[in-house]
Amino acid sequence: MGALDEGHYNAVLENGVKLGGCGFEQEPETVAIEDAVKVLLQGLGEDINREGLRKTPLRVAKALREGTRGYKQNVKDIVQGALFPELGLETGIGHAGGAGGLVLVRDLDLYSYCESCLVPFQVKCHIGYIPSGQRVVGLSKLSRVADIFTKRLQDPQRLADEICNGLQHEINPTGVAVVLHCSHIRFPDSHSAFLDSNQKRWVDVIVNSGSGSFGKPDSANWIDFFGLLRRRDITLDNMHSRTTNKDSWCPSRVKTGPGVSPMDTAVTSIIRSLGQDPGRKELTGTPTRFVKWLSNFKDSKLEMKINGLGFGPLTTTSPTNCKIRSELNLSLWSLCEHHLLPFYGSVHIGYVSSEEVSPILKSILQSVVHFHGFKLQVQERLTRQIAETVSRLLGGNIIVVVEANHTCMISRGIEKFGSNTGTIAVLGRFSHDPAARAEFLELIPESL
């Protein structure tokens, strides 16, 4: 097993290598976003000078500017120099080798920022085109063109249309087809989370856009597209209608006017610093919706509420007949204090008891998870806090495992789709008994 050479590491730093550098920290737009984020944090009752939050305004500013960099890019710069002279479809008769027939790039994992609530959403993108005029484009450019338009404040249908029109205009093919499967987190407010822990976590929508020979929904070229796509869950029949009410897409989408609170004004400033007009009709209610969502995580001294619940020990631990017991898959929602982006997942709790599970135990433990989740958090601290609180209810032998997906892992330039993070906290017997830990860990389902 390799080990880090600390001397080499220090030498690298001394030689001026910067980790995680970014080129726009001192630009006025970045500074303006930082100032706005400080207002938001103070509105949540947070101390902007505490250790975990001191760099949060800069982190948020960098993530937002990275996530909207597409406003300063254009398709022509990407495509020029990447067109190659291969046979295209000139007479309606295809040619061998793929040129002149459909070219499909599928399963591009991207993300964009929802224009209604400023929360990132995931995009699975499929792009097809039929070359013409002896012009084929380098395949990587299709992904880069799609990335230009995802890195903007977006709505799924407009995003599909912009990718399609951009490729049609710059490549001039016989036709372009774009299909997007977009997933938006359905983050509950603190009240609804307590009432319904099984709430669906995502809103999914599938949209398409076509130009040229794909311009009509009944075009035979769409048959080729879906045949090559080979995804039984995506067909023309389940495409999102352009006439469908957009309110059904974003879970936070409600009709609202401009807000007047300092927090609303701060979000308006952020939108303006990203180069967008806060008065655009799609954005007029965005500050109010974002502030309403963010306010779920206001520091409301939930630890005091837990202390005031008056719970006595829920189980006993007699010397005989003690077993390792568990409560698995408790729902978790929280907000990363480093980036102000949501994370979600499951909490698994193990304890030692001679009693069977109390009928009210799961609801109490779920409440503990929500109490600690609905605030600005880091997963490591959250895991420890849950363990310490649960130990007062279930005795001192506690193990807590948290498995979570972090939105910041798909955004802010990292884009590690499908990754999740596991953390563990142990007290009492579990801290010194590897066999007990292993017995509990075997009970946890394989994946989220």
Side-chain angles (χ1 to χ4, degrees):
M1 182 179 293
L4 177 65
D5 183 340
E6 185 174 355
H8 173 73
Y9 177 76
N10 290 334
V12 169
L13 293 181
E14 289 173 2
N15 288 332
V17 176
K18 295 183 179 179
L19 303 179
C22 187
F24 42 66
E25 287 91 336
Q26 303 303 319
E27 293 181 3
E29 295 85 355
T30 303
V31 174
I33 295 175
E34 286 185 78
D35 291 341
V37 173
K38 291 176 183 178
V39 172
L40 294 175
L41 291 173
Q42 290 170 332
L44 294 177
E46 294 287 347
D47 176 8
I48 62 175
N49 293 313
R50 78 170 168 85
E51 181 62 30
L53 293 180
R54 270 185 280 181
K55 293 185 179 180
T56 294
L58 178 59
R59 294 189 193 102
V60 174
K62 290 167 67 175
L64 285 169
R65 297 204 64 195
E66 170 71 16
T68 56
R69 67 175 185 269
Y71 287 121
K72 296 185 177 181
Q73 298 174 316
N74 63 74
V75 177
K76 183 176 181 180
D77 291 340
I78 298 296
V79 172
Q80 64 179 358
L83 294 172
F84 305 100
E86 298 292 341
L87 291 177
L89 186 61
E90 302 295 340
T91 62
I93 301 175
H95 298 274
L102 176 65
V103 178
L104 174 66
V105 175
R106 55 190 172 221
D107 295 324
L108 299 173
D109 284 315
L110 305 167
Y111 81 94
S112 189
Y113 275 88
C114 175
E115 67 182 4
S116 293
C117 65
L118 298 186
V119 173
F121 64 91
Q122 297 184 47
V123 181
K124 182 77 74 172
C125 176
H126 316 283
I127 301 175
Y129 81 104
I130 299 176
S132 68
Q134 298 187 18
R135 291 158 60 92
V136 298
V137 67
L139 297 179
S140 66
K141 307 306 179 184
L142 299 179
S143 177
R144 293 187 63 189
V145 168
D147 191 62
I148 287 177
F149 296 108
T150 56
K151 296 302 184 293
R152 301 179 181 186
L153 304 182
Q154 280 290 9
D155 164 81
Q157 186 59 64
R158 186 173 71 246
L159 174 58
D161 291 340
E162 289 181 346
I163 295 172
C164 182
N165 293 336
L167 289 170
Q168 181 69 42
H169 180 75
E170 293 299 333
I171 302 175
N172 195 27
T174 299
V176 175
V178 175
V179 170
L180 306 179
H181 184 175
C182 301
S183 300
H184 193 309
I185 191 169
R186 186 197 295 272
F187 207 104
D189 59 39
S190 55
H191 177 69
S192 64
F194 277 83
L195 295 177
D196 182 10
S197 297
N198 296 316
Q199 183 178 24
K200 185 179 178 182
R201 284 186 167 138
W202 294 96
V203 175
D204 293 303
V205 66
I206 300 172
V207 297
N208 72 311
S209 186
S211 62
S213 58
F214 289 94
K216 296 182 178 180
D218 58 353
S219 167
N221 289 305
W222 280 110
I223 298 176
D224 295 342
F225 183 96
F226 288 109
L228 279 183
L229 187 60
R230 300 177 67 184
R231 292 279 298 273
R232 297 185 183 276
D233 59 325
I234 300 180
T235 66
L236 274 178
D237 293 334
N238 64 8
M239 291 292 105
H240 185 71
S241 171
R242 291 172 181 270
T243 61
T244 298
N245 191 337
K246 291 184 179 181
D247 292 0
S248 64
W249 155 244
C250 176
S252 301
R253 181 78 182 182
V254 293
K255 293 182 179 180
T256 182
V260 295
S261 73
M263 294 177 73
D264 291 314
T265 302
V267 180
T268 300
S269 173
I270 290 174
I271 293 172
R272 186 176 293 110
S273 297
L274 296 176
Q276 293 302 288
D277 177 12
R280 177 160 63 90
K281 64 178 183 178
E282 295 86 356
L283 297 175
T284 53
T286 299
T288 301
R289 286 189 287 269
F290 181 79
V291 170
K292 181 180 179 181
W293 171 77
L294 191 64
S295 295
N296 285 304
F297 307 95
K298 189 171 184 178
D299 185 3
S300 54
K301 308 302 179 187
L302 294 176
E303 290 88 347
M304 297 175 63
K305 291 186 179 181
I306 292 175
N307 294 333
L309 288 176
F311 291 141
L314 299 175
T315 64
T316 60
T317 54
S318 62
T320 59
N321 299 321
C322 284
K323 296 181 180 180
I324 294 176
R325 305 185 186 278
S326 64
E327 280 296 336
L328 306 177
N329 294 318
L330 299 170
S331 178
L332 168 69
W333 303 95
S334 195
L335 191 70
C336 171
E337 71 176 31
H338 292 163
H339 306 98
L340 299 189
L341 291 172
F343 65 95
Y344 61 92
S346 299
V347 176
H348 315 291
I349 298 174
Y351 57 99
V352 177
S353 176
S354 58
E355 296 182 346
E356 294 294 332
V357 174
S358 165
I360 63 171
L361 176 60
K362 185 170 183 176
S363 63
I364 292 174
L365 296 181
Q366 181 66 81
S367 295
V368 169
V369 172
H370 284 328
F371 278 146
H372 289 301
F374 275 89
K375 63 175 69 175
L376 301 189
Q377 277 287 16
V378 294
Q379 185 172 329
E380 297 87 344
R381 183 173 68 235
L382 171 65
T383 309
R384 173 180 56 80
Q385 289 176 338
I386 293 173
E388 291 173 345
T389 301
V390 169
S391 70
R392 305 206 297 270
L393 306 175
L394 300 178
N397 302 307
I398 299 295
I399 181 170
V400 173
V401 171
V402 176
E403 298 181 295
N405 293 316
H406 290 250
T407 310
C408 61
M409 291 298 289
I410 68 166
S411 60
R412 68 183 189 87
I414 297 177
E415 302 185 43
K416 298 300 181 184
F417 295 87
S419 66
N420 60 72
T421 301
T423 49
I424 187 170
V426 292
L427 297 173
R429 173 182 170 184
F430 290 101
S431 65
H432 56 76
D433 187 346
R437 293 198 299 271
E439 181 179 343
F440 170 74
L441 293 173
E442 283 292 322
L443 300 174
I444 299 176
E446 290 186 1
S447 61
L448 288 173

